[in-house]
Amino acid sequence: LYCGEVCLIFINVLDGRTVGMPECLPLLLALLLLQLPIVVPAHSFIINVGIAVGEVGRCSEMGDAHRGHQLFANKLATDEGAMQVVDRDGTRHRILFNYTRYDDECDQQKHEALLNRLINQDNVHFLFGSTPVFAQSESEMANDAQRLIYHCCVGPDVLYEQDMKYVFGIQTSNKKYSLDSLKSMALAGNVKRLYIFSLEDNIFTSSTCKAGHEYATGVLSQLAPDFEVVKYRKYTTEEASADPNFFVGLVDQAINAKADAILGCDFKVRIR
């Protein structure tokens, strides 16, 4: 068994597809002690974990995720942050994470090559998912290799509905992100005209705003008949990058459409 299978057994018992890493991690680490062949002095165990992620272009928002993973691994390496488990003989074993990050420069082919390296050369016990841009391909690769992959930042249901055994992620569906806000807008009575803009070449942003649009034109149109979507603007990364005033133009469109509120789904919106 790889660590992914152990963690999955734990999660399936709870009957949840997306039990978060904080809930899964303690049992995963304890069970890994029974499997890991790598033992270093002073009763320490090393868990190899890796990620291939860039910080440019469509992947620019993932820098904080990498730094968060690195901070976690570094914290475990300190005496104050050390994680330990005790075996049946009462011996304490320290848990260390060997965190490896490769920069794929947000390139699909390079990403897949580095993921192969993590699996087949670095022999990682599990993977961190990178970005929604590569979520599908890296999930398939991890699942085929029987390595647990945990997505910190991928919420679209379509990825988890494929029921890949080794693929897990955040608990809340991104389809629900905007619903409470939209309901508050509609029922408050002072917001009746909604403008929506959405980055369409990213599964995360596109499916988030699509769900919001469907909710606004479906359920909310019945709860508040005066509530309407005046425009649903879709665009690509290339289109937005080509115009330094692109988002200013979106706001102008919303104003011209006499919108009372804006729902936007993108990673970086710069309006001065």
Side-chain angles (χ1 to χ4, degrees):
L1 293 178
Y2 287 107
C3 63
E5 294 176 288
V6 173
C7 188
L8 290 172
I9 291 170
F10 172 58
I11 293 172
N12 288 338
V13 168
L14 295 181
D15 193 27
R17 70 165 176 88
T18 56
V19 172
M21 187 59 75
E23 292 87 346
C24 173
L25 191 56
L27 182 59
L28 172 61
L29 295 177
L31 293 177
L32 275 170
L33 293 178
L34 304 177
Q35 304 178 56
L36 289 178
I38 306 173
V39 181
V40 296
H43 301 290
S44 296
F45 290 84
I46 297 178
I47 298 175
N48 296 322
V49 57
I51 186 173
V53 63
E55 298 183 51
V56 297
R58 294 186 295 164
C59 306
S60 58
E61 75 281 358
M62 297 308 300
D64 287 340
H66 154 58
R67 285 183 283 275
H69 299 329
Q70 185 68 72
L71 178 65
F72 170 66
N74 291 346
K75 184 67 174 177
L76 288 183
T78 66
D79 291 336
E80 297 80 9
M83 183 181 295
Q84 298 181 347
V85 294
V86 181
D87 65 21
R88 68 181 66 183
D89 297 322
T91 302
R92 291 185 175 275
H93 300 267
R94 185 167 178 171
I95 306 300
L96 298 175
F97 269 56
N98 178 28
Y99 173 65
T100 301
R101 179 262 182 145
Y102 294 124
D103 187 349
D104 61 15
E105 299 178 344
C106 204
D107 178 81
Q108 178 79 44
Q109 291 186 338
K110 188 170 183 178
H111 178 80
E112 293 180 2
L114 291 173
L115 210 64
N116 269 319
R117 179 176 176 179
L118 285 167
I119 294 170
N120 298 313
Q121 296 181 35
D122 297 324
N123 295 315
V124 293
H125 298 102
F126 67 93
L127 297 156
F128 285 129
S130 57
T131 164
V133 177
F134 302 136
Q136 181 64 41
S137 61
E138 68 183 357
S139 294
E140 292 175 356
M141 291 176 65
N143 199 63
D144 290 344
Q146 298 185 347
R147 295 294 198 280
L148 175 73
I149 183 169
Y150 184 86
H151 292 287
C152 75
C153 314
V154 178
D157 292 343
V158 63
L159 184 69
Y160 307 107
E161 288 170 349
Q162 298 173 58
D163 199 28
M164 287 185 277
K165 182 178 180 182
Y166 295 87
V167 179
F168 289 83
I170 57 180
Q171 295 178 327
T172 303
S173 167
N174 68 308
K175 292 182 179 180
K176 299 179 181 179
Y177 286 178
S178 64
L179 304 193
D180 286 342
S181 296
L182 291 174
K183 184 187 294 184
S184 297
M185 289 180 189
L187 298 184
N190 57 343
V191 175
K192 297 182 178 180
R193 297 172 64 82
L194 177 68
Y195 179 95
I196 302 175
F197 67 80
S198 172
L199 177 66
E200 283 298 294
D201 54 352
N202 186 293
I203 187 175
F204 181 82
T205 53
S206 61
S207 58
T208 300
C209 261
K210 180 182 178 182
H213 178 257
E214 291 175 349
Y215 184 69
T217 56
V219 174
L220 291 186
S221 65
Q222 299 181 43
L223 294 177
D226 293 336
F227 188 82
E228 64 175 321
V229 176
V230 295
K231 188 175 181 64
Y232 184 9
R233 176 71 164 88
K234 304 176 183 180
Y235 57 90
T236 64
T237 301
E238 182 178 3
E239 183 180 0
S241 300
D243 181 2
N245 295 314
F246 180 78
F247 293 106
V248 174
L250 293 184
V251 174
D252 288 341
Q253 288 180 19
I255 294 173
N256 292 335
K258 296 181 171 34
D260 301 313
I262 297 175
L263 170 63
C265 300
D266 202 325
F267 293 107
K268 293 186 177 179
V269 178
R270 296 185 177 89
I271 300 176
R272 297 174 186 250

